[in-house]
Each structure stands twice: as C-alpha cells, then as structure tokens.
Amino acid sequence: MSPPCVAFPASELPLHVQADVKGKKRKLDGGGNVDLSQCDLKELTQYRCFVDDPALPGSPVRCWAVNRFFRQCRDKKGVFMVETSAWEGLND
C-alpha cells in the first residue's frame, strides 16, 4: 500500500521538498536547503481527451493539451523529481 498523500498549498512546496518520502531531512553537499528555483526545469505535455457522444460510433474525440512542470533536483542520495506545475509562476 502506498503512503497517504498529503495535500498542501502550492506556496508551501519549498518547505515540503526539504524532506524525503520517509520524512527525513534531505542532505545536500555543503549543507543548506533545497532551492527549487535552482533545480533544472522539465516540462511534460499530456492530453486530456473526451468522446463527444460515446454511444455514437465515429463520434469526434476532442483533446486538450495539459502542460505539467517538474524540477529535477539533487541531494546526497542522488537525483529526485518534484512536480511543480501549481508552484511555477507563484514567485514571478
């Protein structure tokens, strides 16, 4: 069974990323905290699609692009990814 998923506001992401999935503080070379803005930004485009009328054969399928953003960071254990879609642009 996977661990429970904790919901929190996007503005708190920099605080939550300081701990790993087990709740232990991430250790960085030279100490300090993880700075999400310094991690590499990655983008993934997914598509959300709907069939106009599923009961009608040949009904059109309409799709919309959904862009998701991730930050690729590094701690002493290696590389980890954090989804930052809701966080990106909050500090502009």
Side-chain angles (χ1 to χ4, degrees), residues 34-55:
V34 175
D35 182 357
L36 279 177
S37 65
Q38 298 301 310
C39 298
D40 291 337
L41 179 64
K42 306 292 182 183
E43 182 178 3
L44 171 74
T45 302
Q46 293 181 310
Y47 293 90
R48 183 175 180 134
C49 300
F50 298 94
V51 178
D52 281 352
D53 185 356

Side-chain angles (χ1 to χ4, degrees), residues 37 41 69 71 84-92:
S37 65
L41 179 64
F69 297 95
R71 293 287 177 150
T84 59
S85 300
W87 179 78
E88 297 297 335
L90 285 180
N91 301 315
D92 286 348

